[in-house]
mmCIF file of all heavy atoms in Angstrom:
data_model
loop_
_atom_site.group_PDB
_atom_site.id
_atom_site.type_symbol
_atom_site.label_atom_id
_atom_site.label_comp_id
_atom_site.label_asym_id
_atom_site.label_seq_id
_atom_site.Cartn_x
_atom_site.Cartn_y
_atom_site.Cartn_z
ATOM 1 N N GLU J 63 39.878 65.915 119.378
ATOM 2 C CA GLU J 63 39.284 64.583 119.247
ATOM 3 C C GLU J 63 39.996 63.567 120.144
ATOM 4 O O GLU J 63 39.372 62.719 120.778
ATOM 5 C CB GLU J 63 39.352 64.130 117.787
ATOM 6 C CG GLU J 63 38.722 62.784 117.541
ATOM 7 C CD GLU J 63 38.767 62.410 116.066
ATOM 8 O OE1 GLU J 63 38.308 63.216 115.231
ATOM 9 O OE2 GLU J 63 39.285 61.319 115.772
ATOM 10 N N ARG J 64 41.318 63.664 120.226
ATOM 11 C CA ARG J 64 42.101 62.735 121.052
ATOM 12 C C ARG J 64 41.879 62.987 122.542
ATOM 13 O O ARG J 64 41.811 62.049 123.338
ATOM 14 C CB ARG J 64 43.585 62.842 120.722
ATOM 15 C CG ARG J 64 43.913 62.529 119.298
ATOM 16 C CD ARG J 64 43.652 61.075 119.011
ATOM 17 N NE ARG J 64 44.090 60.775 117.662
ATOM 18 C CZ ARG J 64 43.495 59.904 116.887
ATOM 19 N NH1 ARG J 64 42.457 59.245 117.308
ATOM 20 N NH2 ARG J 64 43.936 59.680 115.673
ATOM 21 N N VAL J 65 41.778 64.254 122.917
ATOM 22 C CA VAL J 65 41.511 64.585 124.323
ATOM 23 C C VAL J 65 40.156 64.023 124.729
ATOM 24 O O VAL J 65 40.017 63.411 125.792
ATOM 25 C CB VAL J 65 41.576 66.108 124.553
ATOM 26 C CG1 VAL J 65 41.047 66.471 125.934
ATOM 27 C CG2 VAL J 65 43.006 66.612 124.379
ATOM 28 N N ARG J 66 39.164 64.163 123.888
ATOM 29 C CA ARG J 66 37.833 63.636 124.212
ATOM 30 C C ARG J 66 37.839 62.103 124.262
ATOM 31 O O ARG J 66 37.169 61.507 125.100
ATOM 32 C CB ARG J 66 36.801 64.157 123.242
ATOM 33 C CG ARG J 66 36.614 65.668 123.421
ATOM 34 C CD ARG J 66 35.297 66.166 122.888
ATOM 35 N NE ARG J 66 35.153 67.574 123.161
ATOM 36 C CZ ARG J 66 34.530 68.069 124.233
ATOM 37 N NH1 ARG J 66 34.021 67.262 125.127
ATOM 38 N NH2 ARG J 66 34.424 69.376 124.401
ATOM 39 N N GLU J 67 38.625 61.468 123.395
ATOM 40 C CA GLU J 67 38.778 60.004 123.455
ATOM 41 C C GLU J 67 39.385 59.587 124.789
ATOM 42 O O GLU J 67 38.975 58.586 125.385
ATOM 43 C CB GLU J 67 39.681 59.502 122.329
ATOM 44 C CG GLU J 67 39.024 59.381 120.993
ATOM 45 C CD GLU J 67 39.990 58.799 119.961
ATOM 46 O OE1 GLU J 67 40.453 57.649 120.157
ATOM 47 O OE2 GLU J 67 40.284 59.508 118.986
ATOM 48 N N LEU J 68 40.372 60.350 125.256
ATOM 49 C CA LEU J 68 41.014 60.033 126.519
ATOM 50 C C LEU J 68 40.036 60.189 127.682
ATOM 51 O O LEU J 68 39.986 59.343 128.578
ATOM 52 C CB LEU J 68 42.250 60.914 126.733
ATOM 53 C CG LEU J 68 43.023 60.697 128.025
ATOM 54 C CD1 LEU J 68 43.471 59.240 128.168
ATOM 55 C CD2 LEU J 68 44.217 61.642 128.090
ATOM 56 N N VAL J 69 39.251 61.243 127.680
ATOM 57 C CA VAL J 69 38.253 61.437 128.740
ATOM 58 C C VAL J 69 37.263 60.271 128.735
ATOM 59 O O VAL J 69 36.939 59.715 129.794
ATOM 60 C CB VAL J 69 37.525 62.790 128.585
ATOM 61 C CG1 VAL J 69 36.334 62.884 129.540
ATOM 62 C CG2 VAL J 69 38.498 63.947 128.818
ATOM 63 N N ASP J 70 36.807 59.866 127.564
ATOM 64 C CA ASP J 70 35.878 58.732 127.469
ATOM 65 C C ASP J 70 36.529 57.451 127.981
ATOM 66 O O ASP J 70 35.893 56.662 128.686
ATOM 67 C CB ASP J 70 35.393 58.539 126.029
ATOM 68 C CG ASP J 70 34.411 59.612 125.599
ATOM 69 O OD1 ASP J 70 33.844 60.302 126.471
ATOM 70 O OD2 ASP J 70 34.222 59.769 124.378
ATOM 71 N N TYR J 71 37.785 57.235 127.624
ATOM 72 C CA TYR J 71 38.514 56.064 128.107
ATOM 73 C C TYR J 71 38.559 56.073 129.634
ATOM 74 O O TYR J 71 38.270 55.056 130.284
ATOM 75 C CB TYR J 71 39.931 56.051 127.527
ATOM 76 C CG TYR J 71 40.839 55.064 128.203
ATOM 77 C CD1 TYR J 71 40.807 53.721 127.857
ATOM 78 C CD2 TYR J 71 41.717 55.479 129.205
ATOM 79 C CE1 TYR J 71 41.636 52.803 128.499
ATOM 80 C CE2 TYR J 71 42.545 54.574 129.842
ATOM 81 C CZ TYR J 71 42.497 53.240 129.491
ATOM 82 O OH TYR J 71 43.309 52.337 130.131
ATOM 83 N N CYS J 72 38.917 57.202 130.217
ATOM 84 C CA CYS J 72 39.006 57.305 131.678
ATOM 85 C C CYS J 72 37.651 57.069 132.338
ATOM 86 O O CYS J 72 37.568 56.456 133.402
ATOM 87 C CB CYS J 72 39.541 58.675 132.079
ATOM 88 S SG CYS J 72 41.265 58.942 131.641
ATOM 89 N N ARG J 73 36.624 57.537 131.712
ATOM 90 C CA ARG J 73 35.269 57.410 132.262
ATOM 91 C C ARG J 73 34.791 55.961 132.262
ATOM 92 O O ARG J 73 34.068 55.555 133.162
ATOM 93 C CB ARG J 73 34.319 58.280 131.444
ATOM 94 C CG ARG J 73 32.925 58.338 131.969
ATOM 95 C CD ARG J 73 32.038 59.202 131.117
ATOM 96 N NE ARG J 73 32.819 60.269 130.525
ATOM 97 C CZ ARG J 73 32.332 61.334 129.945
ATOM 98 N NH1 ARG J 73 31.053 61.488 129.836
ATOM 99 N NH2 ARG J 73 33.117 62.251 129.424
ATOM 100 N N THR J 74 35.189 55.182 131.254
ATOM 101 C CA THR J 74 34.550 53.877 131.077
ATOM 102 C C THR J 74 35.482 52.674 131.036
ATOM 103 O O THR J 74 35.004 51.548 131.176
ATOM 104 C CB THR J 74 33.744 53.857 129.759
ATOM 105 O OG1 THR J 74 34.640 54.064 128.662
ATOM 106 C CG2 THR J 74 32.670 54.922 129.751
ATOM 107 N N SER J 75 36.770 52.839 130.828
ATOM 108 C CA SER J 75 37.599 51.685 130.485
ATOM 109 C C SER J 75 38.756 51.365 131.423
ATOM 110 O O SER J 75 39.504 50.431 131.149
ATOM 111 C CB SER J 75 38.159 51.873 129.066
ATOM 112 O OG SER J 75 37.102 51.987 128.146
ATOM 113 N N ILE J 76 38.923 52.094 132.492
ATOM 114 C CA ILE J 76 40.018 51.775 133.407
ATOM 115 C C ILE J 76 39.524 50.707 134.374
ATOM 116 O O ILE J 76 38.582 50.935 135.141
ATOM 117 C CB ILE J 76 40.537 53.024 134.145
ATOM 118 C CG1 ILE J 76 41.151 53.993 133.133
ATOM 119 C CG2 ILE J 76 41.556 52.628 135.215
ATOM 120 C CD1 ILE J 76 41.651 55.287 133.713
ATOM 121 N N ARG J 77 40.166 49.551 134.279
ATOM 122 C CA ARG J 77 39.779 48.405 135.093
ATOM 123 C C ARG J 77 39.832 48.766 136.572
ATOM 124 O O ARG J 77 40.749 49.441 137.007
ATOM 125 C CB ARG J 77 40.742 47.258 134.787
ATOM 126 C CG ARG J 77 40.258 45.944 135.246
ATOM 127 C CD ARG J 77 41.163 44.844 134.716
ATOM 128 N NE ARG J 77 41.044 43.724 135.606
ATOM 129 C CZ ARG J 77 41.937 43.391 136.511
ATOM 130 N NH1 ARG J 77 43.059 44.047 136.602
ATOM 131 N NH2 ARG J 77 41.733 42.368 137.311
ATOM 132 N N LEU J 78 38.851 48.348 137.327
ATOM 133 C CA LEU J 78 38.700 48.565 138.767
ATOM 134 C C LEU J 78 38.208 49.965 139.130
ATOM 135 O O LEU J 78 37.793 50.193 140.257
ATOM 136 C CB LEU J 78 39.991 48.250 139.536
ATOM 137 C CG LEU J 78 40.548 46.839 139.396
ATOM 138 C CD1 LEU J 78 41.860 46.720 140.173
ATOM 139 C CD2 LEU J 78 39.554 45.802 139.873
ATOM 140 N N ALA J 79 38.269 50.913 138.221
ATOM 141 C CA ALA J 79 37.767 52.260 138.508
ATOM 142 C C ALA J 79 36.260 52.308 138.265
ATOM 143 O O ALA J 79 35.718 51.541 137.475
ATOM 144 C CB ALA J 79 38.454 53.291 137.628
ATOM 145 N N SER J 80 35.620 53.223 138.963
ATOM 146 C CA SER J 80 34.195 53.465 138.757
ATOM 147 C C SER J 80 33.973 54.978 138.812
ATOM 148 O O SER J 80 33.887 55.562 139.893
ATOM 149 C CB SER J 80 33.377 52.763 139.845
ATOM 150 O OG SER J 80 32.008 53.063 139.689
ATOM 151 N N VAL J 81 33.932 55.598 137.650
ATOM 152 C CA VAL J 81 33.774 57.051 137.565
ATOM 153 C C VAL J 81 32.286 57.379 137.652
ATOM 154 O O VAL J 81 31.485 56.895 136.860
ATOM 155 C CB VAL J 81 34.382 57.597 136.263
ATOM 156 C CG1 VAL J 81 34.127 59.092 136.131
ATOM 157 C CG2 VAL J 81 35.874 57.304 136.206
ATOM 158 N N THR J 82 31.926 58.202 138.632
ATOM 159 C CA THR J 82 30.529 58.579 138.825
ATOM 160 C C THR J 82 30.205 59.958 138.275
ATOM 161 O O THR J 82 29.043 60.263 138.003
ATOM 162 C CB THR J 82 30.155 58.547 140.321
ATOM 163 O OG1 THR J 82 31.023 59.433 141.037
ATOM 164 C CG2 THR J 82 30.272 57.133 140.871
#
Side-chain angles (χ1 to χ4, degrees):
E63 182 178 307
R64 300 293 185 214
V65 169
R66 293 201 177 266
E67 280 183 61
L68 180 56
V69 170
D70 287 342
Y71 167 81
C72 292
R73 185 180 329 194
T74 62
S75 300
I76 295 178
R77 196 171 155 257
L78 302 178
S80 177
V81 176
T82 58

